[in-house]
Amino acid sequence: MRRLAVAAIALMAFSGTEAEADSLPLPTVDYQATAQVDAAGQSHEVQMRHHEGLFMMEMDAGGLPGKVIVDQNAGTGVMVMTVEGATMVMDLPASQMDMAAGYDFGGAEIEKAGDTETVAGEECEIYRIGDGSGESPNTGTACITEDGILMRLDAMLESNASSNMEVQSLERTPQDPSLFAVPAGAMRMQMDDMMQGAPGN
């Protein structure tokens, strides 16, 4: 359970909530994508969706299915997990949402690198994230399409935890808003309880 939670939060940090100065572009279209994520020492295939400011990532780590749902407009997010047939939901901590806000990476400077790359057949522009010498020690590079889709991310966070993501396939297609809803009847829990109260923590 802990592995899933940490990996999900690592990716959550790059979902964004609003565009600001020193921010990465946010998605402007509906899409669904399959990506490979390496975070917290684990590698997982994830499914990602976006619809009008709602972002969702789904993954299955060691037989523990879970997803992160972020409302980019409201600046809120939840983690939903199913363990032994029970569905649990947890509000993401404010500290994680603060980092997610506007792709600001804790105040790290963000600038265009002046180069492009092709990832999964999509041309994307490369952005440099910090250099470790300023206000924030967060560093990395991101490659983002013209319509704001994050195709590749290589980042080193303040905690010295690396997070890498690369899209394997992408489809721009309308997404059903109901996919982003928290399941009815889900049991609400605190993060510590969720991470410690199930196998795999």
Side-chain angles (χ1 to χ4, degrees):
M1 176 68 74
R2 183 179 299 275
R3 293 193 298 269
L4 175 57
V6 172
I9 290 173
L11 183 59
M12 242 290 301
F14 312 108
S15 64
T17 55
E18 60 181 25
E20 299 175 349
D22 277 344
S23 303
L24 295 176
L26 299 178
T28 59
V29 295
D30 278 20
Y31 72 88
Q32 62 187 52
T34 299
Q36 192 70 29
V37 173
D38 298 308
Q42 301 290 318
S43 180
H44 302 285
E45 181 179 277
V46 302
Q47 306 299 318
M48 299 186 294
R49 299 176 186 269
H50 175 264
H51 169 72
E52 296 182 358
L54 296 171
F55 174 88
M56 181 171 66
M57 181 195 75
E58 296 179 279
M59 62 190 298
D60 189 321
L64 295 174
K67 58 185 175 182
V68 169
I69 305 170
V70 178
D71 185 334
Q72 298 174 323
N73 301 309
T76 59
V78 295
M79 184 182 299
V80 181
M81 295 183 185
T82 301
V83 180
E84 298 179 353
T87 300
M88 299 175 288
V89 60
M90 175 201 67
D91 292 323
L92 288 165
S95 59
Q96 299 297 332
M97 292 310 304
D98 288 345
M99 183 173 180
Y103 277 68
D104 67 7
F105 293 90
E109 292 186 1
I110 295 173
E111 62 180 2
K112 292 182 179 181
D115 201 1
T116 61
E117 204 171 284
T118 300
V119 178
E122 296 279 342
E123 184 176 279
C124 50
E125 185 162 17
I126 298 174
Y127 288 76
R128 285 193 292 263
I129 304 163
D131 59 9
S133 64
E135 175 184 340
S136 170
N138 299 320
T139 61
T141 60
C143 202
I144 300 178
T145 64
E146 187 176 2
D147 49 7
I149 300 173
L150 179 66
M151 298 297 295
R152 182 181 57 77
L153 171 76
D154 296 295
M156 180 65 71
L157 306 183
E158 183 175 359
S159 61
N160 290 324
S162 63
S163 181
N164 307 294
M165 184 279 289
E166 184 167 325
V167 169
Q168 308 296 314
S169 63
L170 171 69
E171 184 178 0
R172 293 175 178 82
T173 184
Q175 299 296 302
D176 184 345
S178 68
L179 294 173
F180 302 83
V182 174
M187 179 172 57
R188 193 163 289 273
M189 299 183 67
Q190 298 298 315
M191 172 177 272
D192 288 345
D193 294 336
M194 182 178 282
M195 291 176 68
Q196 295 175 9
N201 59 325

